[in-house]
Amino acid sequence: MSREAADWDAWMALYARGHENPPSVDQEPCPNCGARAVRLVFVEKSVTGDGPASLWCGSCLQGIYLSRTWIPDNAERLAPGATPEEVRAVIPNYTVIWPDAEDEAGNEGDEDIESHTF
Ligand SMILES: [Zn+2]
């Protein structure tokens, strides 16, 4: 399971850099395939400026999803009230990498990658 954990760590490191400086993300190689097609988009849920974050590669369609974070000022975002159709027009149905679940009983690797549907 260490391979999945490394992938998660690589994506999270990329997310951390993207959260700090959102315009830098499209110059970063994808942790999975190396393509410079990574996008980071936030979905603003309220005027308080937080919401879920999607980080994915447009080439291999893998990435991570964080259910709630604060949104940097210059980040690409969907406005509060965006419909599911509007969200789907921007964020594809990519394969979400989850952190290694080795601490949770019963999960033996097949649970590490799931498809996330908005
Ligand atoms: Zn990729």
Side-chain angles (χ1 to χ4, degrees):
M1 301 316 112
S2 58
R3 185 175 147 73
E4 283 81 1
D7 289 344
W8 167 260
D9 290 345
W11 280 107
M12 278 307 291
L14 177 58
Y15 171 77
R17 293 195 294 276
H19 197 273
E20 201 162 292
N21 183 18
S24 73
V25 162
D26 62 9
Q27 295 148 38
E28 296 261 9
C30 165
N32 182 56
C33 74
R36 292 178 197 277
V38 176
R39 290 185 70 190
L40 174 62
V41 176
F42 297 85
V43 181
E44 200 167 349
K45 290 296 187 188
S46 70
V47 291
T48 58
D50 60 8
S54 289
L55 176 69
W56 78 95
C57 169
S59 180
C60 64
L61 291 177
Q62 289 197 22
I64 60 172
Y65 173 83
L66 290 96
S67 59
R68 190 169 185 178
T69 184
W70 65 271
I71 304 174
D73 284 342
N74 53 347
E76 185 174 358
R77 74 186 70 199
L78 289 154
T83 66
E85 289 73 23
E86 288 170 330
V87 172
R88 206 171 297 118
V90 176
I91 304 174
N93 190 14
Y94 62 97
T95 299
V96 176
I97 310 293
W98 299 104
D100 193 0
E102 63 185 328
D103 293 336
E104 294 174 30
N107 287 340
E108 287 292 349
D110 289 340
E111 310 292 326
D112 287 334
I113 298 176
E114 296 173 14
S115 184
H116 179 79
T117 304
F118 286 93

